[in-house]
């Protein structure tokens, strides 16, 4: 029974590692590999090309953490307490104070146009982005379509896409 479990687990790991092994053996293109295997990767090249050494990004996508060439802050309530990004609506002024203290210049959010027509309340960074925009505290940047794959091992099972917007925090014209 134990050997059967080990064989099944080994087979599962082989399937899961297939893409990485093929990439290593064939010497494939790194960007293509990351785009196919990392959720929301398509935002990373734009960030790395357009933000500079003085910029700092706040985002909520753990899988992207080590791919950014600019400073970043991973905003998740389970992993940090410097920026309050819990599920309840956060006062925008408090958020702005916290991120300014950390030197944050940009953030990632669902597109502001999408947030404006939501039937349900936004939460986390999306909710605060909507409030900051209403107060004139952010400058909308590009909207980038990114892909999501439910399974890296079986990539054709479910592929969806979403749009993410890059937002620049600003102090001129901010009413908070």
């Amino acid at each position: 029974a134990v050997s059967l479990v080990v064989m099944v687990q080994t087979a599962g790991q082989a399937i899961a590692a297939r893409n990485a092994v093929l990439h290593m053996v064939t010497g494939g293109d790194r960007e293509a590999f990351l785009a196919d295997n990392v959720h929301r990767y398509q935002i990373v090249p734009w960030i790395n090309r357009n933000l500079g050494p003085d910029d700092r990004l706040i985002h909520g996508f753990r899988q992207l953490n080590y791919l950014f060439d600019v400073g970043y802050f991973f905003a998740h309530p389970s992993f940090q307490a410097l920026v309050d990004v819990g599920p309840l609506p956060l006062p925008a002024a408090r958020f702005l104070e916290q991120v300014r203290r950390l030197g944050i210049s940009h953030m990632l959010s669902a597109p502001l146009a999408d947030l404006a027509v939501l039937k349900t309340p936004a939460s986390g960074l999306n909710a605060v982005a909507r409030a900051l925009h209403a107060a004139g505290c952010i400058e909308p940047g590009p909207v980038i379509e990114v892909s999501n794959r439910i399974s890296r091992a079986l990539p054709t099972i479910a592929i969806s896409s979403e749009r993410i917007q890059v937002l620049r925090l600003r102090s001129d014209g901010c009413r908070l």
Side-chain angles (χ1 to χ4, degrees), residues 57-87:
L57 175 73
I58 187 168
H59 72 95
F61 309 119
R62 182 178 55 93
Q63 73 278 11
L64 303 180
N65 279 347
Y66 302 104
L67 300 171
F68 292 122
D69 292 338
V70 299
Y72 65 85
F73 185 84
F74 175 53
H76 191 284
S78 298
F79 299 109
Q80 58 79 35
L82 295 175
V83 178
D84 187 6
V85 289

Side-chain angles (χ1 to χ4, degrees), residues 1 7 17 22 29 42 87 136 153 158 175:
M7 286 189 326
L22 285 174
D29 179 58
Q42 292 80 3
R175 297 180 300 277

Side-chain angles (χ1 to χ4, degrees), residues 152-164:
R152 289 186 310 253
L154 305 170
T156 58
I157 286 181
I159 301 171
S160 64
S161 65
E162 71 178 290
R163 298 173 335 131
I164 298 174

Side-chain angles (χ1 to χ4, degrees), residues 50-131:
N50 293 284
L51 299 189
D54 295 332
D55 293 314
R56 193 156 186 215
L57 175 73
I58 187 168
H59 72 95
F61 309 119
R62 182 178 55 93
Q63 73 278 11
L64 303 180
N65 279 347
Y66 302 104
L67 300 171
F68 292 122
D69 292 338
V70 299
Y72 65 85
F73 185 84
F74 175 53
H76 191 284
S78 298
F79 299 109
Q80 58 79 35
L82 295 175
V83 178
D84 187 6
V85 289
L88 300 175
L90 168 70
R94 183 170 162 199
F95 174 85
L96 199 55
E97 176 188 321
Q98 291 171 341
V99 296
R100 282 183 175 154
R101 194 176 322 122
L102 295 170
I104 302 294
S105 60
H106 291 77
M107 65 186 287
L108 298 180
S109 168
L112 295 170
D114 296 353
L115 293 174
V117 297
L118 274 181
K119 302 274 189 252
T120 58
S123 63
L125 290 176
N126 290 336
V128 78
R130 184 164 51 182

